[in-house]
Amino acid sequence: MTESNGHSQTNGEHYVGTRTIRPDGHDKVTGRARFGADFNLPGQLIGRVLRSPHPHAHIVSIDTSKAEALPGVKAVVTRDDFADQPSEFVPAGEMMMNYKDVVRNVMAREKALYEGHAVAAVAATSAAVARKALKLIDVTYEVLPHVIDVVEAMRPGAPLLHDDLFTAGVEPKPEKPSNIAKRVEIKQGDVEAGFEKADIVIEREFKTAAVHQGYIEPHAALATVSEDGSTELWCTTQGHYIVRAHCARLLGLDIGKVRVTATEIGGGFGGKTVVYLEPLAIALSRKAKRPVKMVMSREEVFKSSGPTSGATVRVKLGATKDGKFVAAFAELKYQAGAFQGSPVQPGTMCAFAPYDIENVHVVGYDVVSNRPKVAAYRAPGAPISEYAVESVVDEIAKKLDIDPIDLRLQNAAHEGTKAAYGPKFGPIGLEETLNAIKKTEHWNAPLRKWQGRGVASGFWFNIGGETSVSLTVNEDGTISLMAGTPDIGGLRASLAAVAADELGVPYDKVRPIIGDTGSLGFNFLTGGSRSAFSGSMAIVEAAKQIRAELCARACKLWEAKPDQVEFSDGAVRPLGALAEKVKAMTVADFAKVAGKTGGPIGGVGRINAQGAGPSFGTHLVDLEVDPETGRVSILRYTVAQDAGRALHPAYVEGQYQGGAVQGIGWALNEEYIYGADGKLQNAGFLDYRMPVASDVPMIDAILVEVANPKHPYGVRGVGETPIVPPLGAIANAMENATGIRFTELPMSPPKVLKALKEKGLARA
């Protein structure tokens, strides 16, 4: 039997690359969609968490007797309800986890390591009873000195968070524990020799603050445990299979007895790849023998879930007088929060990746401090290191009097460039994004006094990973599509378009859903810009099975040989003389006779996706500074990024725009502010200032498409890269507007006004 490439449609219509209606759109806009806090079960209890008021303290004792005696309280759990875990890294899907740290982050054990650290949890018949019960739990603390800043945490004599933490990546192994969990390093060429060839060397130090992902929906979980140990969990997560693995490990459950359903998700951006409430809800339900529902308050989200790192970064870049980069060095010091695991590794990988530089050396440090354990945030680690690098690149352009886009084009990574972190790039689109920006009207538009324009490029490597999908042909010819990666950015629309093109059926005949952990094989989480890339590859595999099956059934029905039939244009078609005897049969035709021709028709895709294409983008921003207040207004913004192939252009543009807006917030306003007491002072959206619609202009998006040759449709992940360039682009625009190089983020009004006053530029 033969097949066409499968990408053809009945009536010649294609859906990949078009702006189809989102399958989940109606439920989202009408409010019918069910998010984490929308799930309820009969007889459910309400769970609440008691959290440490101290940033660092020994937990001497916990007395829960009064809380347990309170009428309406059905269960209380503390550290004693969670078995300790060994200090070793073990696989959880494709991640390596140290469950000794995970169990201590879920519930404080020997010490509370940050304000908001969970110390106990209760389940009661109402929220009011649960709150009262928390007040009745008597915790005796021995308060310890704390450390918040990453540089301070690295100093000898700093308050020590873990007495068994010895710096990894250092030989010989240190004899004394410290707050430096790990040292990472990448090298390429001879950096010292490279700097000797440089005609100009710029070295600067930069500082960024910790910022939260800012998802609108707080963490929520609903758990029920039956008498035989079977456990069901509904939660807002980017990876329900990972949640299952974590909860089973922490609570001693068989993975096969834990069924996790990912609810609709009101934003995650990497922050919902971690477990917080989920193990607590299961532990409380198991103890109370009733369902338990838990939802974080906004204050809890800020104090007790992971932001991304703040960091101190030093960059040194050397160039010849004609603008060729010859040597690059960076030192990255990243906050991990209370437990090791900052994104310093990807920070080192991404720092200089947009450029073809022969000599590169990057050193990174993963440093613990008395803050919440960091979580992923969209291209974790990359915005920080590339903010510093792009600032220095711009400074070199000014010193050499070279157009900043031309300087980047001269040094841009291209096909064949060997990245300092290892791989040799295949076809990539960085140069195309730079040229696209340079051709815009925006690039040459006039500016007034106090206005500035900035440009910066960015990179993310993208990942693939374990992915399972299923396609089922229903009796009426519609297609049920089940994926196992939560949809956080229009995934269902993209996968439905691929399935429609592969099977030659109308788009509106494909019904995509996200399956629970009992419905499909293992899926890695939605993150690293992998879901559309790997999901569409798996859809292609599943569709191949269906097309082959339909061809085989046609051979039986028509008493034909395999080479007499082919699948094309959504149907099995007879070839040659056979075409005079029988008519083509569509997918819907086969569905009608499935019971007589072999039974149900379907296909599965179970892959470990490889070949994720790296992603590059370039951003252009205009801003205006108010010299009276220091307030910065974003006037205009353009994003150009290589998507490989945009499965759904509207949602790709949405990813570009969303990343840019989050980067604007990171650059100008967002930060965790701690007092001398080690407590977070702005744990709410009133004081943690995120951009709203009135703060940003319409963001223009340019889709560059340099096909990824390792994907059947040429797809690259697009979700991470858009947050990488904004920090550098805005800092560069600020320098052009004010003449001041800002080396600390955020560039909030008080900091900007202070800098203007120091330069005598502020207007009274």
Side-chain angles (χ1 to χ4, degrees), residues 195-273:
F195 280 119
E196 289 178 6
K197 296 177 184 177
D199 297 308
I200 181 174
V201 176
I202 301 290
E203 183 172 4
R204 294 283 179 266
E205 185 170 276
F206 301 85
K207 189 177 181 67
T208 71
V211 297
H212 201 274
Q213 300 85 355
Y215 35 80
I216 301 304
E217 179 202 23
H219 295 268
L222 171 64
T224 181
V225 182
S226 71
E227 280 68 19
D228 69 352
S230 296
T231 300
E232 287 195 80
L233 175 68
W234 295 261
C235 58
T236 175
T237 178
Q238 292 175 236
H240 44 316
Y241 291 82
I242 300 298
V243 169
R244 179 180 68 171
H246 290 345
C247 291
R249 175 78 181 229
L250 297 180
L251 295 163
L253 304 170
D254 292 337
I255 279 182
K257 279 196 168 184
V258 182
R259 185 177 184 182
V260 183
T261 300
T263 66
E264 293 289 357
I265 186 168
F269 315 109
K272 289 179 179 170
T273 59

Side-chain angles (χ1 to χ4, degrees), residues 362-381:
V362 187
V363 178
Y365 298 94
D366 182 28
V367 185
V368 299
S369 59
N370 296 116
R371 296 168 171 264
K373 166 76 174 73
V374 301
Y377 183 17
R378 216 169 181 168

Side-chain angles (χ1 to χ4, degrees), residues 27-174:
D27 284 354
K28 292 283 175 66
V29 299
T30 60
R32 189 177 291 109
R34 300 175 72 197
F35 294 83
D38 294 327
F39 282 76
N40 297 285
L41 287 173
Q44 73 185 17
L45 303 171
I46 301 301
R48 289 287 186 270
V49 181
L50 180 68
R51 302 186 181 276
S52 169
H54 308 292
H56 196 193
H58 279 296
I59 300 175
V60 179
S61 63
I62 305 175
D63 184 353
T64 61
S65 57
K66 293 179 182 177
E68 290 169 327
L70 183 68
V73 172
K74 303 300 180 182
V76 181
V77 295
T78 66
R79 58 193 177 183
D80 297 333
D81 294 277
F82 295 87
D84 202 359
Q85 301 288 329
S87 181
E88 61 181 2
F89 283 88
V90 297
E94 298 192 357
M95 300 186 297
M96 297 300 291
M97 304 296 300
N98 186 338
Y99 279 103
K100 179 181 180 183
D101 291 348
V102 176
V103 74
R104 282 164 174 75
N105 196 39
V106 166
M107 184 68 77
R109 208 168 189 89
E110 302 87 359
K111 294 198 293 184
L113 292 166
Y114 53 92
E115 182 202 14
H117 200 165
V119 174
V122 303
T125 51
S126 70
V129 173
R131 286 193 296 268
K132 187 174 182 180
L134 294 184
K135 295 178 181 178
L136 295 176
I137 297 175
D138 184 18
V139 184
T140 302
Y141 294 100
E142 177 192 339
V143 178
L144 300 169
H146 62 270
V147 62
I148 298 294
D149 180 74
V150 64
V151 175
E152 292 295 324
M154 294 177 72
R155 298 190 195 283
L160 191 66
L161 273 71
H162 307 282
D163 57 13
D164 61 347
L165 186 62
F166 296 85
T167 308
V170 175
E171 294 295 340
K173 179 182 175 181

Side-chain angles (χ1 to χ4, degrees), residues 313-335:
V313 177
R314 181 165 59 92
V315 167
K316 182 180 178 182
L317 185 60
T320 60
K321 59 186 177 183
D322 62 355
K324 176 63 180 173
F325 297 160
V326 290
F329 171 79
E331 181 184 56
L332 318 177
K333 300 172 182 178
Y334 278 36
Q335 298 163 355

Side-chain angles (χ1 to χ4, degrees), residues 333-588:
K333 300 172 182 178
Y334 278 36
Q335 298 163 355
F339 301 96
Q340 62 185 309
S342 75
V344 71
Q345 182 77 57
T348 63
M349 295 164 62
C350 295
F352 296 107
Y355 301 108
D356 188 351
I357 309 175
E358 185 178 353
N359 307 294
V360 178
H361 184 196
V362 187
V363 178
Y365 298 94
D366 182 28
V367 185
V368 299
S369 59
N370 296 116
R371 296 168 171 264
K373 166 76 174 73
V374 301
Y377 183 17
R378 216 169 181 168
I384 297 168
S385 61
E386 292 198 51
Y387 151 62
V389 170
E390 289 297 298
S391 296
V392 173
V393 167
D394 226 57
E395 194 167 348
I396 287 178
K398 275 196 164 51
K399 289 283 175 66
L400 295 177
D401 194 25
I402 298 176
D403 177 280
I405 290 184
D406 288 343
L407 181 65
R408 287 172 171 83
L409 278 167
Q410 181 181 347
N411 293 282
H414 49 79
E415 184 172 1
T417 294
K418 185 180 183 301
Y421 70 91
K424 183 176 288 188
F425 292 137
I428 54 175
L430 176 58
E431 293 172 316
E432 286 82 353
T433 68
L434 286 160
N435 283 317
I437 290 292
K438 194 168 186 180
K439 291 176 183 175
T440 61
E441 181 271 332
H442 181 181
W443 177 241
N444 294 302
L447 294 171
R448 300 192 303 271
K449 184 175 173 59
W450 295 110
Q451 295 180 350
R453 176 168 297 140
V455 65
S457 295
F459 164 83
W460 184 252
F461 43 86
N462 289 332
I463 63 171
E466 294 171 272
T467 307
S468 297
V469 302
S470 71
L471 292 175
T472 302
V473 180
N474 299 317
E475 301 94 312
D476 61 355
T478 57
I479 308 297
S480 292
L481 187 167
M482 184 180 293
T485 42
D487 181 355
I488 64 174
L491 175 68
R492 280 170 284 208
S494 297
L495 297 188
V498 173
D501 277 13
E502 289 292 313
L503 295 176
V505 300
Y507 172 82
D508 62 4
K509 298 299 183 183
V510 181
R511 309 281 190 257
I513 62 171
I514 306 301
D516 61 58
T517 58
S519 303
L520 286 168
F522 181 83
N523 281 267
F524 191 49
L525 51 78
T526 298
S529 295
R530 67 169 293 274
S531 57
F533 166 78
S534 59
S536 55
M537 291 178 78
I539 292 288
V540 169
E541 290 300 309
K544 280 182 182 177
Q545 295 173 20
I546 291 177
R547 295 199 304 266
E549 173 66 17
L550 297 183
C551 286
R553 293 192 185 201
C555 286
K556 291 180 180 178
L557 282 172
W558 298 336
E559 298 181 346
K561 295 179 180 179
D563 61 0
Q564 291 180 291
V565 302
E566 73 166 9
F567 187 98
S568 65
D569 292 333
V572 179
R573 301 182 184 280
L575 300 175
L578 185 64
E580 299 176 5
K581 301 178 182 179
V582 296
K583 293 181 179 180
M585 291 182 66
T586 65
V587 174

Side-chain angles (χ1 to χ4, degrees), residues 610-684:
Q610 306 295 314
S615 172
F616 291 87
T618 301
H619 289 205
L620 178 64
V621 60
D622 291 356
L623 55 76
E624 184 169 23
V625 179
D626 183 344
E628 293 183 359
T629 64
R631 182 178 184 271
V632 178
S633 300
I634 301 297
L635 305 175
R636 191 170 182 181
Y637 207 108
T638 302
V639 177
Q641 185 178 316
D642 177 16
R645 172 92 182 276
L647 292 176
H648 195 298
Y651 298 140
V652 171
E653 290 168 353
Q655 291 291 328
Y656 293 0
Q657 293 162 334
V661 171
Q662 290 179 313
I664 289 168
W666 196 338
L668 295 181
N669 293 105
E670 297 183 41
E671 62 179 320
Y672 267 40
I673 300 173
Y674 283 91
D677 58 1
K679 296 185 178 184
L680 185 62
Q681 297 182 336
N682 60 331

